[in-house]
Amino acid sequence: MQPGITTGDRSFQFGDGIFTTIRVRAGVAEYWPQHLARLQQGVARLGFAEPDWQQLTHQVQQAISAPEQVLKVVISRGHAGRGYSPLGVTGPDIYISTAGLPDFRLLQQQGIRLGLARLQLGCQPLLAGLKHNNRLEQVLLKQELATTDWDDLLVLDQRGFVTEAIAANVFFYRAGRWLTPVLDQAGVAGVMRQVLLAHLQAEQVQWTLDELQGIEAMFCCNALCGILPVHTFLDKPLQLAPVQQVQQEFACFVA
């Protein structure tokens, strides 16, 4: 594990890295096997040298410093001279940091108001699903959100298909079924999305905005905030009861 980043690090230079953000609950890195699997997938897809995964697991456990906190693991391709080529890179390099955990309880209970982003995500199937270190689209989306009164924004890709919220995945409820966007062209396949896909037996769909007209409920989710009901999407009120049922079921499921 690197003590600090330097200017020769390719993650700093080019965003040539991946990361995962983990909730520490009761002193344990929650869903660590799923986070680890996602890191392993990212390393393989981007062609990084493979780190010692057992050692990384130990480093994550050693980094936990509070019963409830946020823990972030960044894996950079490593260090090299100038230029884009990955040839001759020494690495990978691993960085682990911790931070305080935001309090999401009120939003989990009351829900959020969701608007629609003007910015649309670029489509790149080679990177789709990965939580890579180039997050400029999300930075611009947060900048856009700050000019609105919404709590979060629903984001489309450049083809016009519903993809995700700014930093969370989305699930929709219609006719007794849960659905979530396919993420084979853009977006981040989050760990909480993965867990909920299996638990809810949700269908992955490719929807335009028009197909959201018939939904009854919606929620956003990620590994930190858990499940956040959407009580209003644009000007449409949505039901909270289907999401509350999932919250109750999921609390039992994770226990």
Side-chain angles (χ1 to χ4, degrees), residues 167-209:
N169 293 119
V170 290
F171 282 74
F172 316 110
Y173 186 74
R174 187 175 74 178
R177 297 200 60 188
W178 285 103
L179 311 104
T180 193
V182 173
L183 300 178
D184 60 355
Q185 298 294 315
V188 174
V191 162
M192 187 60 66
R193 175 184 183 272
Q194 175 190 343
V195 173
L196 286 167
L197 266 173
H199 180 59
L200 298 175
Q201 298 182 323
E203 179 185 355
Q204 298 184 62
V205 295
Q206 195 172 69
W207 276 7
T208 62
L209 271 181

mmCIF file of all heavy atoms in Angstrom, residues 167-209:
data_model
loop_
_atom_site.group_PDB
_atom_site.id
_atom_site.type_symbol
_atom_site.label_atom_id
_atom_site.label_comp_id
_atom_site.label_asym_id
_atom_site.label_seq_id
_atom_site.Cartn_x
_atom_site.Cartn_y
_atom_site.Cartn_z
ATOM 1 N N ALA A 167 -24.614 9.272 -8.388
ATOM 2 C CA ALA A 167 -23.665 8.373 -7.718
ATOM 3 C C ALA A 167 -24.394 7.176 -7.121
ATOM 4 O O ALA A 167 -24.007 6.654 -6.082
ATOM 5 C CB ALA A 167 -22.896 9.118 -6.634
ATOM 6 N N ALA A 168 -25.450 6.751 -7.789
ATOM 7 C CA ALA A 168 -26.243 5.634 -7.285
ATOM 8 C C ALA A 168 -26.931 4.939 -8.453
ATOM 9 O O ALA A 168 -27.170 5.552 -9.504
ATOM 10 C CB ALA A 168 -27.284 6.118 -6.276
ATOM 11 N N ASN A 169 -27.249 3.684 -8.260
ATOM 12 C CA ASN A 169 -28.058 2.958 -9.229
ATOM 13 C C ASN A 169 -29.532 3.177 -8.936
ATOM 14 O O ASN A 169 -29.906 3.639 -7.856
ATOM 15 C CB ASN A 169 -27.719 1.463 -9.196
ATOM 16 C CG ASN A 169 -26.313 1.185 -9.687
ATOM 17 O OD1 ASN A 169 -25.473 0.667 -8.951
ATOM 18 N ND2 ASN A 169 -26.023 1.531 -10.932
ATOM 19 N N VAL A 170 -30.387 2.865 -9.914
ATOM 20 C CA VAL A 170 -31.826 3.090 -9.759
ATOM 21 C C VAL A 170 -32.590 1.809 -10.062
ATOM 22 O O VAL A 170 -32.200 1.021 -10.931
ATOM 23 C CB VAL A 170 -32.324 4.230 -10.672
ATOM 24 C CG1 VAL A 170 -31.803 5.572 -10.187
ATOM 25 C CG2 VAL A 170 -31.911 4.004 -12.124
ATOM 26 N N PHE A 171 -33.670 1.617 -9.310
ATOM 27 C CA PHE A 171 -34.600 0.517 -9.527
ATOM 28 C C PHE A 171 -36.007 1.095 -9.655
ATOM 29 O O PHE A 171 -36.355 2.066 -8.973
ATOM 30 C CB PHE A 171 -34.566 -0.471 -8.358
ATOM 31 C CG PHE A 171 -33.389 -1.409 -8.362
ATOM 32 C CD1 PHE A 171 -32.122 -0.958 -8.025
ATOM 33 C CD2 PHE A 171 -33.543 -2.753 -8.699
ATOM 34 C CE1 PHE A 171 -31.034 -1.819 -8.017
ATOM 35 C CE2 PHE A 171 -32.465 -3.625 -8.694
ATOM 36 C CZ PHE A 171 -31.207 -3.153 -8.353
ATOM 37 N N PHE A 172 -36.815 0.480 -10.538
ATOM 38 C CA PHE A 172 -38.182 0.922 -10.782
ATOM 39 C C PHE A 172 -39.145 -0.218 -10.466
ATOM 40 O O PHE A 172 -38.824 -1.389 -10.661
ATOM 41 C CB PHE A 172 -38.364 1.335 -12.245
ATOM 42 C CG PHE A 172 -37.252 2.180 -12.792
ATOM 43 C CD1 PHE A 172 -36.379 1.677 -13.741
ATOM 44 C CD2 PHE A 172 -37.077 3.482 -12.354
ATOM 45 C CE1 PHE A 172 -35.346 2.440 -14.239
ATOM 46 C CE2 PHE A 172 -36.047 4.264 -12.851
ATOM 47 C CZ PHE A 172 -35.181 3.744 -13.797
ATOM 48 N N TYR A 173 -40.353 0.166 -10.029
ATOM 49 C CA TYR A 173 -41.392 -0.824 -9.714
ATOM 50 C C TYR A 173 -42.587 -0.604 -10.623
ATOM 51 O O TYR A 173 -43.132 0.510 -10.699
ATOM 52 C CB TYR A 173 -41.819 -0.666 -8.254
ATOM 53 C CG TYR A 173 -42.775 -1.721 -7.755
ATOM 54 C CD1 TYR A 173 -42.342 -3.014 -7.473
ATOM 55 C CD2 TYR A 173 -44.118 -1.412 -7.544
ATOM 56 C CE1 TYR A 173 -43.219 -3.976 -6.998
ATOM 57 C CE2 TYR A 173 -44.994 -2.360 -7.063
ATOM 58 C CZ TYR A 173 -44.544 -3.642 -6.793
ATOM 59 O OH TYR A 173 -45.407 -4.595 -6.321
ATOM 60 N N ARG A 174 -42.982 -1.664 -11.332
ATOM 61 C CA ARG A 174 -44.132 -1.577 -12.228
ATOM 62 C C ARG A 174 -44.806 -2.937 -12.316
ATOM 63 O O ARG A 174 -44.121 -3.943 -12.540
ATOM 64 C CB ARG A 174 -43.710 -1.118 -13.628
ATOM 65 C CG ARG A 174 -44.880 -0.848 -14.565
ATOM 66 C CD ARG A 174 -44.435 -0.291 -15.895
ATOM 67 N NE ARG A 174 -43.811 -1.310 -16.736
ATOM 68 C CZ ARG A 174 -43.361 -1.095 -17.967
ATOM 69 N NH1 ARG A 174 -43.423 0.126 -18.481
ATOM 70 N NH2 ARG A 174 -42.821 -2.060 -18.668
ATOM 71 N N ALA A 175 -46.112 -2.944 -12.112
ATOM 72 C CA ALA A 175 -46.922 -4.150 -12.251
ATOM 73 C C ALA A 175 -46.374 -5.311 -11.425
ATOM 74 O O ALA A 175 -46.291 -6.454 -11.893
ATOM 75 C CB ALA A 175 -47.031 -4.550 -13.719
ATOM 76 N N GLY A 176 -45.963 -4.984 -10.189
ATOM 77 C CA GLY A 176 -45.526 -6.031 -9.280
ATOM 78 C C GLY A 176 -44.124 -6.537 -9.479
ATOM 79 O O GLY A 176 -43.717 -7.529 -8.858
ATOM 80 N N ARG A 177 -43.332 -5.856 -10.330
ATOM 81 C CA ARG A 177 -41.963 -6.312 -10.608
ATOM 82 C C ARG A 177 -40.985 -5.161 -10.434
ATOM 83 O O ARG A 177 -41.301 -3.996 -10.709
ATOM 84 C CB ARG A 177 -41.843 -6.858 -12.033
ATOM 85 C CG ARG A 177 -42.676 -8.082 -12.324
ATOM 86 C CD ARG A 177 -42.128 -8.808 -13.525
ATOM 87 N NE ARG A 177 -40.758 -9.248 -13.312
ATOM 88 C CZ ARG A 177 -39.983 -9.785 -14.267
ATOM 89 N NH1 ARG A 177 -40.436 -9.927 -15.485
ATOM 90 N NH2 ARG A 177 -38.751 -10.161 -13.996
ATOM 91 N N TRP A 178 -39.776 -5.509 -9.992
ATOM 92 C CA TRP A 178 -38.689 -4.545 -9.915
ATOM 93 C C TRP A 178 -37.814 -4.664 -11.154
ATOM 94 O O TRP A 178 -37.544 -5.771 -11.632
ATOM 95 C CB TRP A 178 -37.857 -4.767 -8.658
ATOM 96 C CG TRP A 178 -38.542 -4.276 -7.419
ATOM 97 C CD1 TRP A 178 -39.177 -5.014 -6.476
ATOM 98 C CD2 TRP A 178 -38.675 -2.906 -7.009
ATOM 99 N NE1 TRP A 178 -39.707 -4.210 -5.498
ATOM 100 C CE2 TRP A 178 -39.409 -2.916 -5.794
ATOM 101 C CE3 TRP A 178 -38.252 -1.692 -7.538
ATOM 102 C CZ2 TRP A 178 -39.724 -1.743 -5.114
ATOM 103 C CZ3 TRP A 178 -38.564 -0.532 -6.846
ATOM 104 C CH2 TRP A 178 -39.284 -0.556 -5.659
ATOM 105 N N LEU A 179 -37.383 -3.511 -11.653
ATOM 106 C CA LEU A 179 -36.563 -3.447 -12.858
ATOM 107 C C LEU A 179 -35.426 -2.464 -12.635
ATOM 108 O O LEU A 179 -35.539 -1.540 -11.825
ATOM 109 C CB LEU A 179 -37.402 -3.008 -14.071
ATOM 110 C CG LEU A 179 -38.730 -3.756 -14.266
ATOM 111 C CD1 LEU A 179 -39.882 -2.871 -13.811
ATOM 112 C CD2 LEU A 179 -38.931 -4.171 -15.704
ATOM 113 N N THR A 180 -34.333 -2.628 -13.381
ATOM 114 C CA THR A 180 -33.184 -1.720 -13.270
ATOM 115 C C THR A 180 -32.512 -1.623 -14.635
ATOM 116 O O THR A 180 -32.581 -2.564 -15.434
ATOM 117 C CB THR A 180 -32.199 -2.220 -12.192
ATOM 118 O OG1 THR A 180 -31.251 -1.177 -11.889
ATOM 119 C CG2 THR A 180 -31.440 -3.449 -12.640
ATOM 120 N N PRO A 181 -31.879 -0.495 -14.962
ATOM 121 C CA PRO A 181 -31.291 -0.340 -16.286
ATOM 122 C C PRO A 181 -30.146 -1.313 -16.574
ATOM 123 O O PRO A 181 -29.348 -1.643 -15.685
ATOM 124 C CB PRO A 181 -30.766 1.111 -16.278
ATOM 125 C CG PRO A 181 -31.616 1.809 -15.263
ATOM 126 C CD PRO A 181 -31.869 0.781 -14.205
ATOM 127 N N VAL A 182 -30.073 -1.759 -17.814
ATOM 128 C CA VAL A 182 -28.897 -2.472 -18.313
ATOM 129 C C VAL A 182 -27.721 -1.495 -18.323
ATOM 130 O O VAL A 182 -27.873 -0.328 -18.685
ATOM 131 C CB VAL A 182 -29.153 -2.992 -19.742
ATOM 132 C CG1 VAL A 182 -27.891 -3.591 -20.340
ATOM 133 C CG2 VAL A 182 -30.279 -4.016 -19.743
ATOM 134 N N LEU A 183 -26.542 -1.974 -17.937
ATOM 135 C CA LEU A 183 -25.366 -1.094 -17.879
ATOM 136 C C LEU A 183 -24.239 -1.631 -18.756
ATOM 137 O O LEU A 183 -23.108 -1.762 -18.319
ATOM 138 C CB LEU A 183 -24.897 -0.959 -16.425
ATOM 139 C CG LEU A 183 -25.908 -0.364 -15.450
ATOM 140 C CD1 LEU A 183 -25.342 -0.319 -14.038
ATOM 141 C CD2 LEU A 183 -26.348 1.038 -15.893
ATOM 142 N N ASP A 184 -24.555 -1.918 -20.015
ATOM 143 C CA ASP A 184 -23.545 -2.475 -20.916
ATOM 144 C C ASP A 184 -22.911 -1.435 -21.832
ATOM 145 O O ASP A 184 -21.999 -1.745 -22.600
ATOM 146 C CB ASP A 184 -24.132 -3.612 -21.757
ATOM 147 C CG ASP A 184 -25.304 -3.172 -22.626
ATOM 148 O OD1 ASP A 184 -25.739 -2.001 -22.511
ATOM 149 O OD2 ASP A 184 -25.796 -3.997 -23.421
ATOM 150 N N GLN A 185 -23.373 -0.174 -21.731
ATOM 151 C CA GLN A 185 -22.806 0.898 -22.553
ATOM 152 C C GLN A 185 -22.280 2.058 -21.720
ATOM 153 O O GLN A 185 -21.388 2.776 -22.156
ATOM 154 C CB GLN A 185 -23.863 1.434 -23.528
ATOM 155 C CG GLN A 185 -24.370 0.411 -24.527
ATOM 156 C CD GLN A 185 -23.301 -0.031 -25.509
ATOM 157 O OE1 GLN A 185 -22.566 0.797 -26.058
ATOM 158 N NE2 GLN A 185 -23.213 -1.333 -25.746
ATOM 159 N N ALA A 186 -22.835 2.247 -20.532
ATOM 160 C CA ALA A 186 -22.441 3.366 -19.665
ATOM 161 C C ALA A 186 -22.888 3.037 -18.248
ATOM 162 O O ALA A 186 -23.643 2.090 -18.015
ATOM 163 C CB ALA A 186 -23.076 4.673 -20.142
ATOM 164 N N GLY A 187 -22.410 3.850 -17.290
ATOM 165 C CA GLY A 187 -22.840 3.683 -15.918
ATOM 166 C C GLY A 187 -21.919 2.795 -15.095
ATOM 167 O O GLY A 187 -20.993 2.179 -15.614
ATOM 168 N N VAL A 188 -22.192 2.756 -13.795
ATOM 169 C CA VAL A 188 -21.407 1.984 -12.837
ATOM 170 C C VAL A 188 -22.284 0.876 -12.262
ATOM 171 O O VAL A 188 -23.377 1.148 -11.756
ATOM 172 C CB VAL A 188 -20.876 2.879 -11.697
ATOM 173 C CG1 VAL A 188 -20.186 2.037 -10.633
ATOM 174 C CG2 VAL A 188 -19.923 3.933 -12.243
ATOM 175 N N ALA A 189 -21.815 -0.338 -12.332
ATOM 176 C CA ALA A 189 -22.532 -1.479 -11.752
ATOM 177 C C ALA A 189 -22.148 -1.584 -10.276
ATOM 178 O O ALA A 189 -21.136 -2.186 -9.922
ATOM 179 C CB ALA A 189 -22.191 -2.759 -12.500
ATOM 180 N N GLY A 190 -22.947 -0.976 -9.417
ATOM 181 C CA GLY A 190 -22.617 -0.890 -8.001
ATOM 182 C C GLY A 190 -22.782 -2.208 -7.267
ATOM 183 O O GLY A 190 -23.523 -3.106 -7.699
ATOM 184 N N VAL A 191 -22.105 -2.299 -6.136
ATOM 185 C CA VAL A 191 -22.192 -3.501 -5.305
ATOM 186 C C VAL A 191 -23.602 -3.679 -4.752
ATOM 187 O O VAL A 191 -24.147 -4.791 -4.753
ATOM 188 C CB VAL A 191 -21.149 -3.430 -4.169
ATOM 189 C CG1 VAL A 191 -21.487 -4.416 -3.048
ATOM 190 C CG2 VAL A 191 -19.761 -3.721 -4.716
ATOM 191 N N MET A 192 -24.235 -2.597 -4.286
ATOM 192 C CA MET A 192 -25.595 -2.716 -3.774
ATOM 193 C C MET A 192 -26.550 -3.130 -4.875
ATOM 194 O O MET A 192 -27.486 -3.911 -4.650
ATOM 195 C CB MET A 192 -26.033 -1.402 -3.133
ATOM 196 C CG MET A 192 -27.378 -1.471 -2.426
ATOM 197 S SD MET A 192 -27.430 -2.683 -1.091
ATOM 198 C CE MET A 192 -26.278 -1.971 0.073
ATOM 199 N N ARG A 193 -26.346 -2.625 -6.075
ATOM 200 C CA ARG A 193 -27.156 -3.058 -7.228
ATOM 201 C C ARG A 193 -27.016 -4.556 -7.430
ATOM 202 O O ARG A 193 -28.011 -5.265 -7.662
ATOM 203 C CB ARG A 193 -26.709 -2.309 -8.481
ATOM 204 C CG ARG A 193 -27.411 -2.769 -9.773
ATOM 205 C CD ARG A 193 -26.824 -2.018 -10.963
ATOM 206 N NE ARG A 193 -27.479 -2.356 -12.220
ATOM 207 C CZ ARG A 193 -27.120 -3.366 -13.003
ATOM 208 N NH1 ARG A 193 -26.093 -4.149 -12.659
ATOM 209 N NH2 ARG A 193 -27.758 -3.606 -14.141
ATOM 210 N N GLN A 194 -25.800 -5.058 -7.361
ATOM 211 C CA GLN A 194 -25.557 -6.487 -7.549
ATOM 212 C C GLN A 194 -26.306 -7.316 -6.503
ATOM 213 O O GLN A 194 -26.952 -8.318 -6.825
ATOM 214 C CB GLN A 194 -24.055 -6.770 -7.459
ATOM 215 C CG GLN A 194 -23.677 -8.239 -7.515
ATOM 216 C CD GLN A 194 -22.213 -8.457 -7.187
ATOM 217 O OE1 GLN A 194 -21.409 -7.516 -7.226
ATOM 218 N NE2 GLN A 194 -21.861 -9.682 -6.858
ATOM 219 N N VAL A 195 -26.223 -6.887 -5.255
ATOM 220 C CA VAL A 195 -26.889 -7.620 -4.174
ATOM 221 C C VAL A 195 -28.405 -7.592 -4.355
ATOM 222 O O VAL A 195 -29.095 -8.613 -4.215
ATOM 223 C CB VAL A 195 -26.484 -7.035 -2.809
ATOM 224 C CG1 VAL A 195 -27.293 -7.672 -1.687
ATOM 225 C CG2 VAL A 195 -24.995 -7.236 -2.557
ATOM 226 N N LEU A 196 -28.947 -6.410 -4.705
ATOM 227 C CA LEU A 196 -30.392 -6.270 -4.848
ATOM 228 C C LEU A 196 -30.923 -6.971 -6.100
ATOM 229 O O LEU A 196 -32.058 -7.462 -6.107
ATOM 230 C CB LEU A 196 -30.769 -4.793 -4.865
ATOM 231 C CG LEU A 196 -30.695 -4.095 -3.512
ATOM 232 C CD1 LEU A 196 -30.764 -2.587 -3.668
ATOM 233 C CD2 LEU A 196 -31.817 -4.577 -2.606
ATOM 234 N N LEU A 197 -30.136 -7.009 -7.163
ATOM 235 C CA LEU A 197 -30.549 -7.742 -8.361
ATOM 236 C C LEU A 197 -30.899 -9.178 -8.015
ATOM 237 O O LEU A 197 -31.928 -9.716 -8.461
ATOM 238 C CB LEU A 197 -29.424 -7.723 -9.409
ATOM 239 C CG LEU A 197 -29.444 -6.638 -10.462
ATOM 240 C CD1 LEU A 197 -28.169 -6.690 -11.296
ATOM 241 C CD2 LEU A 197 -30.654 -6.800 -11.378
ATOM 242 N N ALA A 198 -30.049 -9.813 -7.212
ATOM 243 C CA ALA A 198 -30.279 -11.203 -6.843
ATOM 244 C C ALA A 198 -31.445 -11.309 -5.864
ATOM 245 O O ALA A 198 -32.312 -12.187 -6.009
ATOM 246 C CB ALA A 198 -29.012 -11.792 -6.231
ATOM 247 N N HIS A 199 -31.496 -10.404 -4.888
ATOM 248 C CA HIS A 199 -32.520 -10.491 -3.848
ATOM 249 C C HIS A 199 -33.915 -10.231 -4.397
ATOM 250 O O HIS A 199 -34.887 -10.894 -4.002
ATOM 251 C CB HIS A 199 -32.206 -9.500 -2.732
ATOM 252 C CG HIS A 199 -33.191 -9.504 -1.618
ATOM 253 N ND1 HIS A 199 -33.473 -10.631 -0.873
ATOM 254 C CD2 HIS A 199 -33.992 -8.513 -1.124
ATOM 255 C CE1 HIS A 199 -34.388 -10.338 0.044
ATOM 256 N NE2 HIS A 199 -34.723 -9.080 -0.096
ATOM 257 N N LEU A 200 -34.037 -9.269 -5.305
ATOM 258 C CA LEU A 200 -35.342 -8.890 -5.839
ATOM 259 C C LEU A 200 -35.701 -9.636 -7.118
ATOM 260 O O LEU A 200 -36.816 -9.489 -7.621
ATOM 261 C CB LEU A 200 -35.372 -7.383 -6.131
ATOM 262 C CG LEU A 200 -35.188 -6.441 -4.937
ATOM 263 C CD1 LEU A 200 -35.119 -5.003 -5.410
ATOM 264 C CD2 LEU A 200 -36.310 -6.629 -3.939
ATOM 265 N N GLN A 201 -34.735 -10.409 -7.651
ATOM 266 C CA GLN A 201 -34.920 -11.053 -8.954
ATOM 267 C C GLN A 201 -35.372 -10.017 -9.985
ATOM 268 O O GLN A 201 -36.314 -10.214 -10.747
ATOM 269 C CB GLN A 201 -35.927 -12.206 -8.863
ATOM 270 C CG GLN A 201 -35.485 -13.336 -7.935
ATOM 271 C CD GLN A 201 -36.457 -14.490 -7.885
ATOM 272 O OE1 GLN A 201 -37.668 -14.307 -7.929
ATOM 273 N NE2 GLN A 201 -35.917 -15.697 -7.796
ATOM 274 N N ALA A 202 -34.693 -8.879 -9.969
ATOM 275 C CA ALA A 202 -35.054 -7.753 -10.823
ATOM 276 C C ALA A 202 -34.659 -8.017 -12.266
ATOM 277 O O ALA A 202 -33.645 -8.671 -12.553
ATOM 278 C CB ALA A 202 -34.386 -6.473 -10.316
ATOM 279 N N GLU A 203 -35.461 -7.476 -13.171
ATOM 280 C CA GLU A 203 -35.179 -7.581 -14.597
ATOM 281 C C GLU A 203 -34.360 -6.377 -15.046
ATOM 282 O O GLU A 203 -34.641 -5.234 -14.645
ATOM 283 C CB GLU A 203 -36.490 -7.635 -15.380
ATOM 284 C CG GLU A 203 -36.309 -7.711 -16.887
ATOM 285 C CD GLU A 203 -37.620 -7.653 -17.653
ATOM 286 O OE1 GLU A 203 -38.691 -7.657 -17.003
ATOM 287 O OE2 GLU A 203 -37.573 -7.577 -18.899
ATOM 288 N N GLN A 204 -33.356 -6.598 -15.883
ATOM 289 C CA GLN A 204 -32.562 -5.515 -16.439
ATOM 290 C C GLN A 204 -33.181 -5.078 -17.762
ATOM 291 O O GLN A 204 -33.411 -5.907 -18.644
ATOM 292 C CB GLN A 204 -31.114 -5.950 -16.628
ATOM 293 C CG GLN A 204 -30.427 -6.327 -15.319
ATOM 294 C CD GLN A 204 -28.967 -6.659 -15.505
ATOM 295 O OE1 GLN A 204 -28.169 -5.823 -15.932
ATOM 296 N NE2 GLN A 204 -28.581 -7.883 -15.153
ATOM 297 N N VAL A 205 -33.456 -3.766 -17.869
ATOM 298 C CA VAL A 205 -34.194 -3.258 -19.018
ATOM 299 C C VAL A 205 -33.461 -2.098 -19.671
ATOM 300 O O VAL A 205 -32.629 -1.439 -19.044
ATOM 301 C CB VAL A 205 -35.613 -2.801 -18.606
ATOM 302 C CG1 VAL A 205 -36.447 -3.983 -18.136
ATOM 303 C CG2 VAL A 205 -35.553 -1.725 -17.519
ATOM 304 N N GLN A 206 -33.799 -1.857 -20.916
ATOM 305 C CA GLN A 206 -33.269 -0.715 -21.666
ATOM 306 C C GLN A 206 -34.451 0.191 -21.961
ATOM 307 O O GLN A 206 -35.205 -0.033 -22.898
ATOM 308 C CB GLN A 206 -32.584 -1.204 -22.949
ATOM 309 C CG GLN A 206 -31.708 -0.179 -23.615
ATOM 310 C CD GLN A 206 -30.914 -0.790 -24.757
ATOM 311 O OE1 GLN A 206 -31.467 -1.155 -25.783
ATOM 312 N NE2 GLN A 206 -29.612 -0.898 -24.582
ATOM 313 N N TRP A 207 -34.597 1.224 -21.134
ATOM 314 C CA TRP A 207 -35.785 2.082 -21.184
ATOM 315 C C TRP A 207 -35.427 3.500 -21.582
ATOM 316 O O TRP A 207 -34.387 4.029 -21.197
ATOM 317 C CB TRP A 207 -36.446 2.127 -19.810
ATOM 318 C CG TRP A 207 -37.382 1.000 -19.526
ATOM 319 C CD1 TRP A 207 -37.607 -0.105 -20.290
ATOM 320 C CD2 TRP A 207 -38.227 0.874 -18.381
ATOM 321 N NE1 TRP A 207 -38.533 -0.915 -19.689
ATOM 322 C CE2 TRP A 207 -38.930 -0.340 -18.520
ATOM 323 C CE3 TRP A 207 -38.452 1.648 -17.255
ATOM 324 C CZ2 TRP A 207 -39.860 -0.779 -17.575
ATOM 325 C CZ3 TRP A 207 -39.368 1.222 -16.305
ATOM 326 C CH2 TRP A 207 -40.075 0.017 -16.471
ATOM 327 N N THR A 208 -36.335 4.112 -22.327
ATOM 328 C CA THR A 208 -36.283 5.554 -22.535
ATOM 329 C C THR A 208 -37.121 6.229 -21.446
ATOM 330 O O THR A 208 -37.811 5.561 -20.661
ATOM 331 C CB THR A 208 -36.851 5.932 -23.912
ATOM 332 O OG1 THR A 208 -38.232 5.547 -23.960
ATOM 333 C CG2 THR A 208 -36.083 5.229 -25.030
ATOM 334 N N LEU A 209 -37.108 7.554 -21.417
ATOM 335 C CA LEU A 209 -37.883 8.292 -20.426
ATOM 336 C C LEU A 209 -39.375 7.997 -20.535
ATOM 337 O O LEU A 209 -40.083 7.940 -19.528
ATOM 338 C CB LEU A 209 -37.659 9.793 -20.600
ATOM 339 C CG LEU A 209 -36.504 10.433 -19.839
ATOM 340 C CD1 LEU A 209 -36.461 11.913 -20.131
ATOM 341 C CD2 LEU A 209 -36.624 10.178 -18.344
#
